[in-house]
Amino acid sequence: MKTVLITGASRGIGRELALAFGRAGYGVGVNYAKEKAAAEKVVQDIWEAGNKEAEAFACDVRDSIKVRQMVDAMIVRWKRLDVLVNNAGITRDRTILKMTNGEWNDVIDVNLNGPFWCLREAARVMSQQKSGAIINIASIMALRGGFGNANYAAAKAGLIALTKSAARELGRFKITVNAVLPGFHITDMASTLTEEQRERVRAEHTLGQTTRMDDLTRLVLEVAQNNSISGQVLNVDSRVAA
Ligand code: NAP
């Protein structure tokens, strides 16, 4: 049985990815930072859909030691790690002139440092296995920049550069590393946007609709299973990026 570790899988996109990998028969590590009950509900939902191979793992991805312990715990349970999805992310929006050091650092810590700790630990295991897939969930902001979220755009652009570097280094171990830009989804992350702001985002979509969650989860599963795609940035979106 193949296994996947998905960071930030208690809510939003991570939750949907966990359910999709669960339906596909993977052993699913459901990582969360704070929302234990929500993560356990994801595990329960995977079980109820007929797959008993799911477990919640508490770990703040900012803590590299805890990340190592989480990956070790995955290996204790399943003996292997086939897929890492670096999905956990936060926003701390503020225009540059008003942005505090804390707001800058928090976003870099969760959205760039955390994925690096996770990628490094996954690569440690996958390089021994001589197989694996790492998928970093970035954002269209990395390509276009954003007004009021320079910290987020910079972290996600860094994540794309990390993706390409890791693909170059890890290909010799048959590990694929790709970035997926998930499109726009009304999750808790988007909850601070006003209806007017949401409408403006929706209007940019050339297909007249935002990304469907099932289209995103299908693409991530495909990337996880495809042995010929690495070092790529896949944009599940109908907004023209740049
Ligand atoms: P969300 O609904 O706000 O969920 C965020 C998830 O990240 C939660 O499960 C949360 O876990 C987890 N998390 C936050 N800080 C963490 C930490 N320090 N350690 C471990 N987990 C942590 O977000 P989302 O909208 O699903 O976004 C998921 C990913 O997609 C993010 O990387 C985001 O940047 C990216 N993205 C989203 C959109 C969008 O339109 N929603 C667009 C582009 C990119 P707890 O609740 O347990 O703390």
Side-chain angles (χ1 to χ4, degrees), residues 169-209:
E169 288 191 21
L170 301 178
R172 64 201 154 123
F173 303 113
K174 301 294 176 206
I175 301 169
T176 65
V177 190
N178 291 288
V180 170
L181 282 48
F184 180 67
H185 303 268
I186 302 292
T187 60
D188 292 345
M189 183 172 277
S191 65
T192 53
L193 296 180
T194 63
E195 190 44 47
E196 193 189 337
Q197 287 170 316
R198 291 179 194 191
E199 199 40 57
R200 222 177 299 138
V201 176
R202 283 191 201 106
E204 281 191 89
H205 289 75
T206 55
L207 295 176
Q209 60 176 43

Side-chain angles (χ1 to χ4, degrees), residues 92-105 147-151:
R92 297 284 181 270
D93 291 358
R94 191 91 62 195
T95 50
I96 290 167
L97 294 180
K98 293 180 184 156
M99 188 174 289
T100 65
N101 293 11
E103 286 161 345
W104 175 267
N105 286 332
F147 188 101
N149 55 9
N151 48 0

Side-chain angles (χ1 to χ4, degrees), residues 8 10-11 13 33-35 60-61 87 138 152 156 182-183 185 187:
S10 53
R11 295 184 279 124
I13 291 169
K34 295 186 190 133
E35 300 284 336
D60 185 327
V61 297
N87 167 78
Y152 182 84
K156 294 296 191 182
H185 303 268
T187 60

